[in-house]
């Protein structure tokens, strides 16, 4: 089945919101739920944020998608992490974001792969690898000399892909669940890769 990799469009926002939530392992939808008004879906919030301010890292202009048969099958979002590091407005973010922001700060100056996800029905077809190659091209085109990403230690499939693609572990932070009273043995791992010219 032919695959088309293309820049995301505004009309893709609903699929991008789901991909973003998948990559965060449900973290962003919990935040969107807190932001939602009565009778408002958290995914409405996500969709609005993805189509709203271009200053947000989740804005659709930072996304690339893979299409199969005209359907969005997966995608990635990335951006340059400023140096010196500026996390932006973190007021109101839950403690669960703390470890991720700490790792992002360690990636200052890198092109940061914030999201890479493929819908379940399109997995095991090489799409994640193809998207990762496209992300590296985007990073080089942006003038980056290195890429960074975070991945859950328990996500063994993704970690294996990143290791095979030349990424190496740089740091770990204990994962905090949305409910800090819940125990979590997982960790977030920062991985980086120097980009050859």
């Amino acid at each position: 089945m032919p695959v088309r990799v293309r820049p995301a469009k505004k009309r893709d926002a609903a699929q991008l919101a789901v991909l973003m939530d998948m990559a965060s392992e449900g973290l962003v939808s919990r935040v969107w739920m807190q932001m939602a008004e009565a009778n408002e879906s958290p995914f409405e919030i996500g969709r609005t944020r993805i189509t709203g301010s271009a200053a947000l890292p989740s804005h659709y202009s930072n996304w690339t998608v893979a299409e199969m048969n005209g359907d969005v099958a997966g995608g990635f979002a990335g951006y340059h992490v400023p140096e010196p590091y500026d996390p932006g407005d973190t007021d109101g973010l839950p403690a669960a974001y703390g470890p991720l922001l700490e790792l992002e700060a360690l990636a200052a100056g890198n092109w940061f792969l914030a999201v890479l996800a493929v819908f379940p029905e399109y997995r095991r077809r090489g799409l994640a690898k193809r998207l990762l190659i496209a992300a590296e091209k985007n990073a080089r085109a942006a003038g980056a000399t290195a890429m960074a990403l975070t991945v859950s230690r328990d996500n063994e499939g993704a970690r294996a892909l990143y290791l095979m693609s030349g990424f190496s572990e740089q740091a770990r932070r204990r994962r905090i669940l949305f409910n800090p009273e819940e125990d979590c043995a997982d960790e977030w791992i920062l991985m980086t890769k120097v980009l050859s010219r």
Side-chain angles (χ1 to χ4, degrees):
M1 193 179 298
V3 178
R4 179 179 170 227
V5 176
R6 62 165 174 82
K9 300 184 184 315
K10 189 174 184 178
R11 68 171 187 253
D12 301 319
Q15 292 99 327
L16 302 182
V18 176
L19 290 168
M20 189 172 171
D21 192 52
M22 288 167 51
S24 75
E25 300 188 12
L27 179 59
V28 295
S29 63
R30 299 287 295 268
V31 173
W32 296 337
M33 193 177 302
Q34 286 185 335
M35 298 168 72
E37 302 289 332
N39 300 319
E40 189 176 30
S41 163
F43 284 92
E44 288 179 63
I45 300 293
R47 186 177 164 278
T48 299
R49 290 175 66 80
I50 286 167
T51 59
S53 171
L56 289 175
S58 60
H59 190 261
Y60 71 89
S61 62
N62 293 321
W63 282 81
T64 297
V65 297
E67 242 182 16
M68 295 182 80
N69 284 343
D71 293 329
V72 172
F76 69 85
Y79 53 90
H80 183 261
V81 179
E83 192 173 27
Y85 179 67
D86 177 8
D89 182 10
T90 59
D91 288 348
L93 284 180
Y97 272 92
L100 292 167
L101 292 173
E102 287 178 22
L103 292 172
E104 186 180 68
L106 295 175
N110 290 308
W111 193 88
F112 195 74
L113 182 62
V115 176
L116 192 152
V118 174
F119 287 116
E121 63 270 28
Y122 294 106
R123 290 180 187 159
R124 292 177 175 70
R125 300 181 192 197
L127 279 182
K129 185 173 184 178
R130 189 160 175 177
L131 286 166
L132 187 56
I133 290 168
E136 289 186 24
K137 286 180 184 172
N138 285 12
R140 284 189 186 91
T145 57
M147 280 180 71
L149 58 87
T150 54
V151 63
S152 162
R153 184 197 65 208
D154 289 351
N155 190 343
E156 294 176 6
R159 282 177 49 221
L161 170 65
Y162 299 140
L163 287 168
M164 277 191 319
S165 301
F167 285 81
S168 60
E169 181 179 329
Q170 299 302 316
R172 291 183 181 217
R173 294 293 184 273
R174 183 175 169 272
R175 183 174 175 183
I176 299 172
L177 296 179
F178 201 84
N179 177 357
E181 295 172 11
E182 294 179 57
D183 190 35
C184 181
D186 196 7
E187 295 174 296
W188 292 114
I189 301 173
L190 175 69
M191 302 183 81
T192 62
K193 177 180 180 177
V194 175
L195 298 175
S196 57
R197 288 285 166 191

